[in-house]
Amino acid sequence: MILLSAKGLKLAFGGVKAADGIDLDVRSGEFLAIIGPNGAGKTTFINMVTGYLTPQGGEIQYDGQSLLGLAPRRLVRLGIARSFQLPQLFLEHTVLENVTLAIAAREGLWSPSRPLMRAAWRGEADDILGQFGLSEIADRRADTLNEGARKLTDIAMAVALKPRLILMDEPTSGVAASEKISIVETLVRVLRTAGVTAVFVEHDMEVVSRFADRVAVWNQGKIATLGPPDDVLTDANVLRDVIGIDPEVGSHAAA
Amino acid sequence: MGWLGDNGMLFGLAVLDGLSYASAVFMVAVGLNLVFGVMRVLNVAHGSLYAIGGYAAASLSLFLGARGMPAWLSLPLLLLSSAIVGAILGPPIERLLRSMLGQEEVLQLLVTFALFMILEDLQKLVWGVQPVVSDAPVKVLGTVDVPFGSDVIPFTAYQLYLLPGVALVTLAGLAWFLRRTLAGRMIVAVTVDREAARAMGINAAKVMLLTFTAGAALAALGGALASPTTSLVPGIGASTIVLSFAVVATAGLGQIEGAALTALMIGLGRSLAVYFAPEFEVVVPYIIMVSVLLVRPQGLFAVPETRRI
Amino acid sequence: MNRNADLALALLAAALILGLSWAVPWLRFVMTVALAKGLAVLGILLLLRAGQVSFGHALYLALAAYVVAFAATRVPEVLVLLPLAALSAAAIGLVVGLFVSRYRAIFFGMLNLALSMVFYSILDKFYEVTRGGDGVRVATTKFAGASLSPEQQSWALLCLALVLAITFGAFVRRYLSSPLGSALSALKTREARLEFMGVPARRVLLSAYVISAFMAGCGGVLIALSTRHVTPALAYWTASGELVFIAVLGGAGSVFGPFLGALAYELTRTYAAALVADAWQMILGAVLLIVILFAPGGLWGVGRALVLRGRQT
């Protein structure tokens, strides 16, 4: 079943075509990786799907409904959540508070008399922090965290919203190499168990090859290739343009 | 002719009055904008600088006048006293504000508010609460008969030529200075991006000190220029600063040429109210400000910032 | 500090205030005015949590005061005037808030300032309606139907002020630890993220704004009833600046801050004015500078640090 369907998306900033006719169908429950050189329009795509940017042409259908013109807030209510390339945390709040606030937002936070840190929510937040290995720093303020912890908290907040579709912008950038795979394993397990569909922008090809069901290759605002990782990641054009390996020379052609 | 014929003189007077009033407010607004540009702080104490500038010019003029200074000297004296006020009060205030850079904006603003409170009482202690009047500069220049239709409006040459003249010279001079001189372009660089300017080797601290002092002197000059046309009493600092905020906010923070236009708008609006609908005198500037801000919150002439995620 | 400790402290403070007022009768008035301003400053505190500063909240204080002044001749009952005036302020706060909640930082502050100055100028210049600079005298009022002697009145007002202060202090404390309050402070650092979590940030700010207008209104009622004379100066921009001053002086980290700050402010002002007629502003300005430069947590922060250090030794 197709959960998200983008057709002919176009968006240009000045003379730069960030999206030049994007056609993409995301299947329910799949893990779709988006790879491509910087500036190819990957974040722009996520921004359009989450309502932050309005496409200048084309259509986005989610669960049979058009997303065009809807504010980010409405899209969250429809079950679309995202995490950010640069983590967007509430800096003066602790990690636990950040995640609990996400839970509160999901549940509707309109009562001014009951505390944020009530038992049920706190318990759920503790669980989520545990799944991401953040329990030890639960009481640290968000602006004191290192890059990797910030990234994880950012993703944890998106997961706490219990979305149907989650879009993650470079979820493993900044995470220590030794922890990357185990964290992604956890993330994938959590999402698969909940039946969440995931679209993620990623630069680490090992993560992509191990965890993605399909890979979409972005280049200059268009999707150049789409297919299972085994096919895409051995495609010569992809290797040269995106990953920077010239198959004939056999080494990295670009830094 | 109708209304204009009946009220022509009044209207003409209102326009001329508004022009001279706007000129004085512009001087404060321009200093406020310059300071905001380099230090990103709205200096509440700028109103006090205006008031002290006025008091200083008036008392200096009265003092020297009693000792036989020729009346025409009272004019350059206005400039001199403003420069002195700027030079004395500018640097210590700037020093204090610079030590607060990087702290929360509320705190920075409150520091200027505290300074304002201190300077208000300082004013009272030095010059007392009785009105101070010194109109030598106005008397020196005499009156001019302004032709208005078939009538003639007598107006003081001071308010017709000198006040707006100085304001225009300041506006043009600043515009030229900021664009054509090295020092001016350094100020603009610091205004646009302080860190980048530092990285280019510009001594941002020195730029801030000089710009602030200049801004303070301009405010003092505004007060000095206005002082011969009015009587100086406690509270003019408070009413001037809030009016200057209205001018600056309506134009857009940091917009110098824009501030000239909004000063004119607000000065004329207020003046017309004084002559034709006196209850609206004080309200007009703020209604203009609210109307503009509701439609264009960054001000009439500001360049909207780009978003970033 | 937990809820019970806070309540105990509040009751202790109330007892202290009552005791002092009994020992030094003229302090009663000062305390009442201080508590009234403290209420308005509680509202400033709320908005400060969201990182927004209103430089026009005296508007609501003055509005409620004038409502009391005009209504007192027709409805001379405090228990009716209080909700009437405070709700009027809240209603205007809602209308104004619908606009200003779209703005942030300096624009938010500026718009509030402009609106309060519009109100001030109307009060000052439309003599026919508002009596202009002369102000309006507040007629004698009854408390729950009873006509009280002037001395009894001042006690009743002080007690009313204390009740309001404790009630609203407790409410704001709860509010700030609720999800709504956390969302309010999250607004300060990452408003966009709130939207991406499905939270209508503007509505959160608006709810805080209306509550703050209501509290400022209650403060205005107390001021009108205790000073018995309302003037346009209540709405001047310096009055709004004063409220922000007190917020920082007292300390924005606790609901005790506003009241601590207001008491310090009013007491200093009264004593300074008695000693050196035209220097109280200067003294207060210097105090504020010292607090900002050396104790940005305000008086509450200083007190807390002292207590903590005392515990260690």
Side-chain angles (χ1 to χ4, degrees):
Chain A
M1 184 208 119
I2 306 288
L3 184 60
L4 180 79
S5 172
K7 285 209 187 351
L9 285 180
K10 285 193 205 291
L11 183 61
F13 298 114
V16 180
K17 293 204 179 101
D20 195 12
I22 304 280
D23 290 319
L24 184 63
D25 285 339
V26 180
R27 298 175 195 149
S28 179
E30 81 164 318
F31 275 43
L32 180 72
I34 293 181
I35 66 176
N38 281 327
K42 313 189 293 292
T43 302
T44 306
F45 176 69
I46 294 186
N47 280 338
M48 284 193 283
V49 174
T50 53
Y52 187 69
L53 291 173
T54 312
Q56 287 157 349
E59 171 62 58
I60 308 178
Q61 289 267 336
Y62 168 83
D63 206 17
Q65 190 179 356
S66 170
L67 295 186
L68 290 184
L70 295 181
R73 231 170 56 224
R74 276 257 23 232
L75 298 177
V76 171
R77 294 277 157 232
L78 291 174
I80 302 178
R82 74 171 287 181
S83 75
F84 299 80
Q85 195 175 356
L86 287 169
Q88 305 283 309
L89 306 178
F90 302 124
L91 297 170
E92 292 181 4
H93 290 252
T94 66
V95 172
L96 185 63
E97 282 165 353
N98 268 267
V99 175
T100 315
L101 199 52
I103 297 173
R106 183 190 78 214
E107 301 290 312
L109 39 67
W110 293 107
S111 108
S113 56
R114 295 184 58 214
L116 174 71
M117 288 295 163
R118 60 193 78 171
W121 290 355
R122 209 215 155 105
E124 188 183 336
D126 281 330
D127 283 341
I128 295 178
L129 288 185
Q131 283 167 353
F132 282 89
L134 295 169
S135 299
E136 278 172 14
I137 53 169
D139 290 321
R140 294 257 305 266
R141 254 174 68 137
D143 56 2
T144 61
L145 301 177
N146 64 31
E147 207 32 56
R150 276 195 218 198
K151 205 22 105 60
L152 288 176
T153 309
D154 192 71
I155 299 174
M157 285 164 79
V159 168
L161 291 174
K162 287 205 179 128
R164 281 180 65 191
L165 170 66
I166 189 169
L167 296 113
M168 296 181 278
D169 204 342
E170 295 189 33
T172 63
S173 76
V175 177
S178 52
E179 302 178 341
K180 251 193 213 194
I181 296 296
S182 69
I183 283 168
V184 180
E185 269 174 354
T186 311
L187 182 62
V188 167
R189 194 177 5 104
V190 168
L191 294 175
R192 286 232 194 263
T193 319
V196 180
T197 311
V199 173
F200 58 105
V201 173
E202 187 51 74
H203 282 300
D204 186 326
M205 294 307 148
E206 199 194 330
V207 168
V208 172
S209 62
R210 275 177 71 160
F211 298 104
D213 295 325
R214 285 195 301 163
V215 182
V217 182
W218 237 258
N219 206 352
Q220 293 178 355
K222 288 201 198 10
I223 298 181
T225 318
L226 175 65
D230 290 338
D231 294 347
V232 172
L233 293 178
T234 49
D235 182 316
N237 291 327
V238 173
L239 286 171
R240 189 185 49 238
D241 294 332
V242 178
I243 303 172
I245 303 173
D246 193 323
E248 267 152 61
V249 179
S251 63
H252 287 267
Chain B
M1 278 269 263
W3 181 85
L4 200 59
D6 298 337
N7 296 291
M9 286 273 282
L10 228 49
F11 183 76
L13 258 174
V15 168
L16 293 173
D17 227 356
L19 192 65
S20 89
Y21 184 73
S23 309
V25 177
F26 171 70
M27 301 298 287
V28 184
V30 113
L32 206 59
N33 262 329
L34 281 172
V35 169
F36 181 79
V38 293
M39 299 185 83
R40 288 290 184 274
V41 182
L42 271 178
N43 182 18
V44 180
H46 235 68
S48 313
L49 290 167
Y50 171 92
I52 292 179
Y55 272 111
S59 49
L60 198 58
S61 174
L62 286 169
F63 179 75
L64 291 177
R67 272 153 190 66
M69 168 189 82
W72 65 265
L73 264 181
S74 63
L75 289 167
L77 199 62
L78 294 174
L79 261 167
L80 182 67
S81 65
S82 312
I84 296 176
V85 171
I88 295 181
L89 289 176
I93 299 180
E94 188 271 342
R95 202 69 197 305
L96 181 62
L97 288 180
R98 190 158 20 115
S99 73
M100 292 286 302
L101 286 180
Q103 299 224 24
E104 298 232 16
E105 280 181 10
V106 192
L107 294 179
Q108 292 183 23
L109 200 61
L110 274 179
V111 165
T112 68
F113 184 67
L115 283 169
F116 161 80
M117 291 177 80
I118 293 175
L119 288 172
E120 282 291 290
D121 271 2
L122 205 67
Q123 238 180 277
K124 281 188 215 162
L125 286 171
V126 174
W127 285 285
V129 295
Q130 295 304 315
V132 173
V133 182
S134 158
D135 54 2
V138 172
K139 287 217 184 101
V140 163
L141 293 178
T143 53
V144 166
D145 286 330
V146 180
F148 192 81
S150 53
D151 264 315
V152 143
I153 301 176
F155 207 62
T156 64
Y158 183 85
Q159 281 176 292
L160 184 61
Y161 296 129
L162 190 78
L163 250 177
V166 174
L168 264 165
V169 166
T170 307
L171 176 63
L174 257 180
W176 173 84
F177 175 75
L178 288 174
R179 283 192 193 114
R180 300 300 172 120
T181 66
L182 182 60
R185 285 205 298 240
M186 286 204 282
I187 294 179
V188 174
V190 172
T191 303
V192 169
D193 190 333
R194 208 183 301 146
E195 283 315 311
R198 275 209 190 101
M200 290 199 291
I202 295 178
N203 187 341
K206 211 154 152 219
V207 168
M208 288 194 276
L209 175 62
L210 288 170
T211 312
F212 189 92
T213 309
L218 283 171
L221 184 58
L225 287 169
S227 65
T229 68
T230 179
S231 63
L232 297 162
V233 289
I236 53 170
S239 55
T240 306
I241 189 64
V242 71
L243 198 66
S244 311
F245 278 170
V247 168
V248 164
T250 309
L253 295 165
Q255 300 299 321
I256 294 186
E257 286 95 342
L261 271 154
T262 51
L264 203 60
M265 247 167 66
I266 284 178
L268 283 173
R270 177 193 163 274
S271 196
L272 286 167
V274 167
Y275 281 88
F276 293 106
E279 302 99 5
F280 288 89
E281 175 203 340
V282 183
V283 117
V284 163
Y286 304 106
I287 293 204
I288 293 179
M289 182 179 168
V290 170
S291 318
V292 169
L293 288 184
L294 283 180
V295 173
R296 233 183 114 85
Q298 64 272 42
L300 285 174
F301 305 103
V303 178
E305 275 188 30
T306 48
R307 20 153 63 144
R308 30 185 142 173
I309 265 203
Chain C
M1 286 187 77
N2 68 39
R3 194 107 44 89
N4 294 327
D6 274 359
L7 188 62
L9 185 61
L11 290 171
L12 188 66
L16 200 67
I17 290 176
L18 285 169
L20 272 172
S21 304
W22 182 77
V24 190
W26 61 262
L27 269 184
R28 234 174 287 146
F29 174 75
V30 178
M31 298 287 190
T32 309
V33 170
L35 288 169
K37 289 194 184 165
L39 276 174
V41 176
L42 256 187
I44 303 277
L45 182 81
L46 265 186
L47 294 173
L48 273 177
R49 278 304 165 94
Q52 310 302 318
V53 194
S54 164
F55 276 99
H57 252 59
L59 165 66
Y60 303 109
L61 199 149
L63 184 79
Y66 267 81
V67 167
V68 167
F70 281 118
T73 44
R74 259 164 264 189
V75 189
E77 169 53 65
V78 169
L79 294 181
V80 170
L81 287 172
L82 176 60
L84 176 70
L87 284 170
S88 310
I92 300 293
L94 180 61
V95 173
V96 169
L98 282 169
F99 290 113
V100 298
S101 59
R102 287 170 214 254
Y103 303 91
R104 299 288 177 268
I106 200 110
F107 307 114
F108 182 84
M110 282 288 173
L111 255 180
N112 276 293
L113 172 69
L115 287 165
S116 73
M117 283 305 288
V118 167
F119 188 59
Y120 164 79
S121 10
I122 293 174
L123 287 176
D124 197 44
K125 292 288 179 177
F126 285 79
Y127 193 85
E128 298 298 309
V129 183
T130 64
R131 312 293 163 69
D134 295 341
V136 182
R137 299 235 75 211
V138 180
T140 325
T141 49
K142 298 193 186 136
F143 261 90
S147 288
L148 304 171
S149 73
E151 161 137 11
Q152 289 171 322
Q153 274 254 351
S154 65
W155 275 114
L157 273 177
L158 180 61
C159 291
L160 179 63
L162 280 168
V163 166
L164 286 173
I166 295 182
T167 310
F168 279 112
F171 172 75
V172 170
R173 197 179 174 288
R174 272 209 131 173
Y175 183 93
L176 287 174
S177 60
S178 77
L180 206 54
S182 298
L184 191 68
S185 41
L187 238 158
K188 184 177 181 182
T189 50
R190 283 282 179 262
E191 184 171 341
R193 189 69 202 256
L194 277 177
E195 296 279 329
F196 277 111
M197 289 190 337
V199 177
R202 257 191 63 206
R203 243 180 271 169
V204 173
L205 187 61
L206 179 63
S207 73
Y209 192 82
V210 174
I211 294 174
S212 72
F214 184 74
M215 293 194 290
C218 290
V221 170
L222 287 169
I223 292 204
L225 291 173
S226 52
T227 60
R228 305 292 298 279
H229 187 224
V230 301
T231 63
L234 283 174
Y236 201 51
W237 71 268
T238 47
S240 296
E242 198 178 271
L243 294 176
V244 182
F245 178 135
I246 293 175
V248 172
L249 177 69
S254 153
V255 295
F256 284 104
F259 297 104
L260 195 58
L263 282 163
Y265 187 91
E266 289 299 314
L267 286 169
T268 309
R269 179 176 170 161
T270 314
Y271 277 109
L275 289 171
V276 240
D278 277 327
W280 66 264
Q281 248 186 331
M282 189 188 277
I283 295 174
L284 277 171
V287 168
L288 182 62
L289 267 182
I290 293 173
V291 166
I292 293 181
L293 290 173
F294 302 111
L299 293 173
W300 175 257
V302 169
R304 202 153 164 264
L306 285 174
V307 167
L308 284 174
R309 204 178 311 159
R311 283 222 193 108
Q312 280 172 354
T313 52

